[in-house]
Structures are given as C-alpha cells and as structure tokens.
C-alpha cells in the first residue's frame, strides 16, 4: 500500500525568501505524485503532478517539484514566496487508476 | 463556467441523525469522488461514482453511502452519525471515469459538525 509523509506540519518563511516543502512516499510499484494547495475556506487546487518523464515538474504560481526515485521524495519548491502563498499544501500519491492518498499537509506561513 | 459546487456550506447535526450532502460537478465532468477531511488531516477518499455506479471505495463503513444522478450530480449520505464524523466533506469531479491521470477539481466543501 502507498503512503505519504509530509515531514513538516508548519513552515514559516519570510516574504521573497525561497521555500521547500518536503514529501516522502512509500510504494512498491510505480506511482503518480501530486501537490495540492488549499487556501483558507476553499477546496483543493492542483499545483502540479508527476506522471512520468522529466523528474522536474513545473506547476502553477511559480512552484516546481522534483521526483527522486532513489530517495522516494517529491519535494515542492518556490524560489521567492509571496504573502498570497499562505495556505496548506498537500502531497499525494496514487497508483494508476487507484485512489489518491493524501499526506497530512504542511501549513505555509509567510512572514512580512 | 461553474466549477464544482457543494451544498450546504455548513451543517450541524446530533449523534444518531442522518445527513445528505450534495455535489454538482464541473461542467462536462462525469465522475464524482467524495473525501472526508478531519481537522488537521489530509483528505481521505470515501468513494467514487461514475455512470451512476460506485466504482471504488475507501476504508469507510457502510453508514457512508452515495448516489449519482443521470446529470452527474451526486449525493453523500451518512447514517447514524457519530461525533467522529465531524469533518469537511469535499467533492471532486473529473472526466471520463476514475483514473488518477485525469485532474480532479475540488469543490469548497461542506463543514459537518456532529454534536
């Protein structure tokens, strides 16, 4: 069975500084990987996904993530954060045609 | 183009009662999935409907049931409510049956409080 571990429950970062949100997964088979964002009082929005091919995936709002099979990681990065990036971020994993398993989330706090 | 809509926004029930939550998928989508998001947790998959049938189910008891109508809208029913059922219930829609390859679009959720 697949599982996802988001290593930090909260990450504070100053505005315009870079950020990395960490995600590790476990699975015995090939998987798809996702990052979703949830703004306050809203549903989830897909930031980016890795299905196959290039291990560096670019998403919306300037975010990118790198799939590392040997380390079973899929960390999310942004070179310069803005106050509008304040939200909860969820890493997720699934096998093809199977349900998506979400991590517990990382709350990103942008400090002025 | 309307996205995924859910009703009601908030709901308060007491233990033992039954509740029905509703979801209208994004225009053109034919598949609806339901998730439960407890406070401080990530969403957990409840089940998914495609062509008016339940296609996949997560680890939830039979108290959780659903339905999909010919217009692709869907309902989530929960019987014999427990305090632990208090959560945000999210509906997500996608196109052409269940596959993680197709992007799911999420609604804003229904906040259920069980007293």
């Amino acid at each position: 069975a697949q599982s996802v571990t988001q290593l930090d429950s909260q990450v504070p970062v100053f505005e315009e500084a870079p950020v990395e949100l960490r995600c590790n997964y476990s699975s015995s088979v090939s998987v798809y990987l996702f990052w979703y964002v949830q703004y306050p009082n809203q549903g989830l929005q897909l930031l980016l996904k890795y299905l196959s091919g290039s291990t560096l995936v670019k998403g919306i709002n300037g975010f990118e993530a790198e799939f590392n099979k040997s380390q079973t990681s899929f960390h999310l990065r942004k070179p310069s954060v803005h106050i509008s990036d304040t939200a909860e971020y969820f890493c997720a994993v699934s096998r093809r045609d199977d349900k998506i398993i979400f991590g517990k989330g990382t709350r990103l706090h942008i400090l002025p | 183009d309307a996205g995924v809509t859910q009703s009601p926004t908030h709901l308060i029930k007491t233990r033992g009662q039954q509740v029905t939550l509703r979801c209208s998928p994004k225009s053109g989508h034919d598949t609806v999935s339901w998730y439960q998001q407890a406070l401080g947790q990530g969403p957990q998959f409840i089940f998914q409907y495609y062509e008016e049938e339940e296609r996949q189910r997560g680890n939830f008891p039979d108290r959780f049931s659903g339905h999909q109508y010919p217009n692709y809208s869907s309902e989530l029913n929960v019987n014999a409510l427990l305090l632990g059922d208090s959560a945000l219930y999210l509906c997500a829609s996608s196109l052409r049956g269940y596959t993680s390859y197709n992007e799911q679009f999420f609604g804003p959720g229904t906040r259920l409080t069980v007293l």
Side-chain angles (χ1 to χ4, degrees), chain A residues 32 34 36 38 41-46 49 51 90 94-105, chain B residues 35 37 40-45 56-58 88 90 98-109:
Chain A
Y32 299 153
F34 309 82
Y36 283 83
Q38 187 174 32
N41 301 315
Q42 295 187 27
L44 278 71
Q45 181 182 10
L46 181 65
K49 61 183 176 183
L51 303 178
F90 293 94
S94 78
R95 296 180 300 179
R96 182 181 174 85
D97 296 339
D98 199 0
K99 59 184 179 291
I100 294 178
I101 308 296
F102 287 87
K104 292 186 176 182
Chain B
Y35 294 82
Q37 186 178 13
Q41 302 294 316
Q44 282 193 292
F45 177 78
Q56 277 202 345
R57 189 178 183 92
L88 180 68
L90 296 166
Y98 190 85
T99 167
S100 49
Y101 192 91
N102 294 329
E103 181 177 350
Q104 292 185 72
F105 289 79
F106 283 80

Side-chain angles (χ1 to χ4, degrees), chain B residues 17-67:
Chain B
Q17 285 189 310
Q18 177 264 345
V19 69
T20 297
L21 310 182
R22 295 176 175 82
C23 172
S24 291
K26 181 179 168 64
S27 177
H29 283 186
D30 57 9
T31 303
V32 173
S33 300
W34 286 93
Y35 294 82
Q36 180 194 67
Q37 186 178 13
L39 199 62
Q41 302 294 316
Q44 282 193 292
F45 177 78
I46 303 174
F47 44 54
Q48 167 255 327
Y49 276 83
Y50 171 62
E51 292 185 332
E52 302 179 48
E53 290 188 13
E54 182 182 296
R55 299 290 177 169
Q56 277 202 345
R57 189 178 183 92
N59 188 25
F60 280 81
D62 292 344
R63 297 187 298 109
F64 290 77
S65 63
H67 186 78

